[in-house]
Amino acid sequence: MRAPIDTERLSAEIEELARISDSPYPSVTRVLFTEADMRARRWLTGRMEDAGLAVRVDAVGNIFGRWEGTDPDAAAVATGSHTDAIPDAGRFDGVIGVLGGLEAIRALQAAGVRPRRAIELIMFTAEEPTRFAFGCLGSRVLAGVVTPERLERLRDAEGRTLDDARAQAGVSGPIPGARLAAGAYAAFVELHIEQGPELERTGVPIGVVTAIAAPATLRVELTGEGGHAGAVLMPERHDPLVAAAEVVQAVDRLARASGSPDTVGTVGLMTLEPGAVNSIPRRVRMDIDIRDTDEARRDGVLEGVREAARAAAASRGVGHSDEVLNADGPATSDPAVLSAIEEACAESGLTSSRMVSRAYHDAVFMARICPTAMIFVPSAGGVSHRPDEYTSPEEVARGAEVLAGALMRLSTRL
Ligand code: GLV
Ligand code: MN
Ligand code: MN
């Protein structure tokens, strides 16, 4: 049975959600618990309720919509993704996993399917690390892989805590209580855009994700004396930004030299104090993103960058500290969930190819608590995290159809 996906409705909803944003269309900016995020949450909740889903929100703001099965005591099958967006992002990242999941459920309902296991749609809180420099907040909490102490240390750029942000958003309750019990879900499937060029290049409509690369974030702080840009002569300077420039070079050099094209290193965030054209910087903070499909190789580059930062600081006579903000292991997909996806592709007459995910996803953490796999659809030009991110309505609809087929199999068979 092929689920009757309503391509137009799904596409119209993606466009509608894109306009709930702090930047002008087609750019999307929706940062955790900002006004735009809260409006998007209310809009999504309405859509879930219209589909007859029973909605609940947990203590970290994850939103769940449950379509009850014929066996309410059996563990549910889950799908979902995120709707938060980094500044100046596109309208498909995360969103197609949530709205495509909703459309998959509606299509199964329209086809008269009665799942044995309940099917739950999840909108995960803050997959993107924008506000608290901490990605996959909601799925980490569900999987119980973050300590209360780590959550208490989180601060946004204004110095606000997660509890401040939750209070502002009207989200309450003890966060450890949001952790899911082992066996809470029988399986999890996440639909997402590829965010890379492979599917488009090979003309394959569906990617079946077998593993997700292991991300790490390193924060380095370098501190000097600051001073007047005219009055402090060059021999007297201890400029932390010059040391930081050496660290940027080291990130690029070490990632390129790892021996694998799967190693990537990026300095995407650097803040300077005091930040004036006529002032030598006093403090530089940089957040460095390093990833690989091989955890040991990733950790080797991470240690190399830490060492390079120590050496750069020593040679420039500036202070130095670093903190590994997160260093998560890779995720491996479950064979039964992979089979369900591939059978759904065959039923829909769609070719698929197995691939790894180089971006991270909430599925990284869901994989720790239940059998998990992901479905990818093509990204035009491999572009993502940019306003010109694009996947056609038909490509998204194919992904939603495969998702529906996989959910149906997992909810009746497992
Ligand atoms: C998720 O958005 C990532 O940075 O991979
Ligand atoms: Mn993203
Ligand atoms: Mn995403």
Side-chain angles (χ1 to χ4, degrees):
M1 187 224 57
R2 291 180 55 177
I5 297 296
D6 186 335
T7 306
E8 262 176 47
R9 172 172 59 186
L10 176 53
S11 174
E13 286 179 343
I14 291 170
E15 296 301 312
E16 200 176 332
L17 183 52
R19 290 173 196 277
I20 305 179
S21 162
D22 277 324
S23 52
Y25 181 91
S27 168
V28 180
T29 303
R30 266 194 308 264
V31 177
L32 172 68
F33 295 155
T34 57
E35 180 53 32
D37 183 35
M38 297 312 296
R39 273 174 44 220
R41 287 164 175 269
R42 286 192 291 274
W43 178 88
L44 177 66
T45 302
R47 297 283 150 151
M48 287 179 165
E49 286 170 349
D50 288 348
L53 307 186
V55 177
R56 66 181 194 279
V57 180
D58 73 9
V60 77
N62 292 313
I63 302 176
F64 304 79
R66 182 177 176 96
W67 179 26
E68 195 55 83
T70 54
D71 183 357
D73 295 330
V77 168
T79 187
S81 192
H82 62 102
T83 57
D84 67 324
I86 66 166
D88 211 18
R91 55 204 195 279
F92 300 94
D93 176 5
V95 164
I96 73 152
V98 178
L99 295 181
L102 179 61
E103 183 56 34
I105 290 173
R106 288 185 303 217
L108 292 173
Q109 291 171 337
V113 169
R114 292 296 316 277
R116 181 174 81 79
R117 297 177 180 279
I119 297 180
E120 288 204 0
L121 175 64
I122 310 176
M123 195 291 294
F124 294 97
T125 280
E127 188 266 357
E128 303 288 8
T130 316
R131 180 155 184 185
F132 287 107
F134 197 57
C136 296
L137 177 58
S139 48
R140 282 179 202 270
V141 166
L142 292 186
V145 295
V146 57
T147 61
E149 298 73 46
R150 181 74 185 87
L151 294 178
E152 271 159 31
R153 286 210 321 275
L154 295 178
R155 295 287 181 277
D156 69 9
E158 271 86 51
R160 290 205 195 90
T161 63
L162 177 59
D163 278 347
D164 294 338
R166 286 201 306 150
Q168 204 179 8
V171 170
S172 58
I175 291 180
R179 180 179 183 167
L180 292 176
Y185 288 120
F188 176 73
V189 191
E190 181 169 359
L191 169 64
H192 206 279
I193 53 168
E194 180 197 343
Q195 307 182 283
E198 273 179 55
L199 292 174
E200 183 182 60
R201 222 178 253 161
T202 52
V204 174
I206 300 290
V208 183
V209 176
T210 54
I212 304 175
T217 312
L218 175 69
R219 174 167 288 174
V220 174
E221 271 201 15
L222 300 162
T223 46
E225 289 162 5
H228 195 288
V232 182
L233 298 181
M234 299 313 282
E236 309 304 324
R237 292 194 182 198
H238 298 285
D239 185 340
L241 183 57
V242 179
E246 290 177 20
V247 179
V248 175
Q249 296 282 345
V251 170
D252 188 71
R253 187 178 61 249
L254 293 167
R256 286 176 193 271
S258 80
S260 167
D262 289 340
T263 320
V264 285
T266 307
V267 182
L269 195 62
M270 200 186 277
T271 49
L272 305 185
E273 287 172 25
V277 68
N278 55 354
S279 175
I280 302 162
R282 188 175 55 234
R283 180 194 305 274
V284 178
R285 189 167 88 180
M286 52 208 302
D287 284 359
I288 304 167
D289 180 308
I290 304 171
R291 309 183 187 201
D292 205 315
T293 46
D294 182 300
E295 190 173 8
R297 197 166 53 210
R298 193 267 327 266
D299 287 346
V301 172
L302 183 73
E303 284 311 314
V305 171
R306 295 180 76 190
E307 182 48 44
R310 272 192 291 273
S315 78
R316 296 281 165 185
V318 300
H320 158 273
S321 67
D322 72 16
E323 185 185 2
V324 177
L325 297 182
N326 56 271
D328 303 300
T332 308
S333 298
D334 177 81
V337 185
L338 289 174
S339 299
I341 295 170
E342 286 174 339
E343 285 171 29
C345 287
E347 185 177 49
S348 295
L350 296 168
T351 54
S352 65
S353 57
R354 292 191 166 202
M355 59 197 303
V356 300
S357 170
R358 297 173 195 287
Y360 63 73
H361 303 283
D362 293 303
V364 168
F365 297 97
M366 293 305 280
R368 302 195 186 193
I369 53 169
C370 64
T372 291
M374 291 186 73
I375 301 166
F376 273 0
V377 290
S379 293
V383 166
S384 187
H385 282 183
R386 281 180 15 190
D388 53 342
E389 176 177 277
Y390 186 71
T391 302
S392 73
E394 294 70 27
E395 289 170 320
V396 176
R398 284 183 204 115
E401 183 178 319
V402 171
L403 176 63
L407 292 174
M408 191 189 69
R409 284 171 170 76
L410 294 166
S411 63
T412 49
R413 186 196 289 167
L414 265 182

